[in-house]
Amino acid sequence: MDRDAIWEAVHQERAALADLLETLSPQQWEHPTLCPGWAVRDVAAHVISSPQFGPADLVTALWRGRGDFDRAMYLDARIRGQRPAEEIVADYRRLDGSRRHPPGTSIREPLLDVLVHTQDIALPLGRHHAMPAEAARTAAERVWSMPFPFRARRRLRGVALVADDVAWRAGDGPEIRGPVEALLLLLTGRTAALDRLDGPGLPRLAPGAARGS
């Protein structure tokens, strides 16, 4: 995907997530997500923080998290998520079309964020939202290339990941096959789509490989 296609996918997926969020009850906004310790409101606020997150925000978040990136993002999301649900959704509408992204990231990070975090919200609520396959492939390529924070190459060492709906393959060893959407969730440490994957490599996943630990 070229630059324009990536941003078009980001904007479409953010709009779809905003549409989903508008249908949720107050109780559903407090529902746990696939991210341990994160409620729907936290994840929703985190996704749309991307075009609002500047250098000063990064410094503040890392200070608050005492240098721990994961904790910094968690605390930042919890703070942003305290706002009324209507304000969070309004940010999605207000920032529709924005091409800003956090310092130190590529344009593929906002795509990765919205694709995966939409599933973090939708799946525990019993909602279905299919990832666009080409966008998911672009995000999978990005995760595979990143040494941090997902450490996918290390966690999934010894198996080959093979998409059966687009041309994408990574790693070496016995194959784990399935939709690129399910592979992307595995790459980012989610276990929710393991039942959509198969192949001789699946039983060979190391303990913790699908948890990001």
Side-chain angles (χ1 to χ4, degrees):
M1 299 177 72
D2 64 21
R3 186 180 187 87
D4 288 340
I6 288 173
W7 280 118
E8 181 179 357
V10 169
H11 300 147
Q12 288 177 349
E13 292 303 297
R14 284 180 182 164
L17 177 54
D19 290 344
L20 184 156
L21 293 170
E22 285 183 327
T23 71
L24 301 185
S25 68
Q27 293 76 20
Q28 288 173 317
W29 274 83
E30 310 303 329
H31 198 280
T33 68
L34 297 184
C35 303
W38 295 52
V40 167
R41 62 170 53 256
D42 304 324
V43 176
H46 171 72
V47 171
I48 201 56
S49 73
S50 177
Q52 307 178 73
F53 206 85
D57 298 292
L58 179 60
V59 171
T60 299
L62 289 173
W63 175 82
R64 190 181 291 124
R66 299 179 182 177
D68 183 314
F69 179 81
D70 290 337
R71 178 169 175 77
M73 293 301 99
Y74 169 74
L75 294 175
D76 182 76
R78 289 295 299 263
I79 291 169
R80 293 177 186 271
Q82 291 174 2
R83 294 181 302 138
E86 295 79 7
E87 290 185 13
I88 296 173
V89 174
D91 278 349
Y92 280 81
R93 305 308 188 191
R94 176 175 62 85
L95 294 164
D96 183 36
S98 172
R99 292 193 173 193
R100 292 189 61 197
H101 54 93
T105 66
S106 78
I107 65 170
R108 291 182 290 177
E109 268 80 300
L111 177 64
L112 166 62
D113 250 18
V114 70
L115 290 176
V116 173
H117 285 316
T118 295
Q119 302 303 314
D120 289 335
I121 291 172
L123 292 177
L125 293 175
R127 303 295 186 93
H128 176 72
H129 177 75
M131 288 186 196
E134 288 298 327
R137 173 168 61 179
T138 297
E141 289 172 349
R142 178 57 177 159
V143 175
W144 190 252
S145 73
M146 298 168 69
F148 175 83
F150 302 110
R151 303 175 179 88
R153 287 177 181 262
R154 187 186 72 185
R155 290 189 295 105
L156 301 170
R157 185 184 300 118
V159 297
L161 308 177
V162 183
D164 61 13
D165 53 348
V166 293
W168 187 77
R169 180 186 181 101
D172 295 297
E175 292 185 354
I176 296 175
R177 297 182 298 269
V180 68
E181 172 181 325
L183 291 172
L184 178 57
L185 292 179
L186 174 62
L187 284 162
T188 55
R190 277 76 172 166
T191 61
L194 286 181
D195 61 349
R196 299 177 62 193
L197 301 172
D198 60 24
L202 198 57
R204 299 186 60 169
L205 286 177
R211 297 195 304 273
S213 59

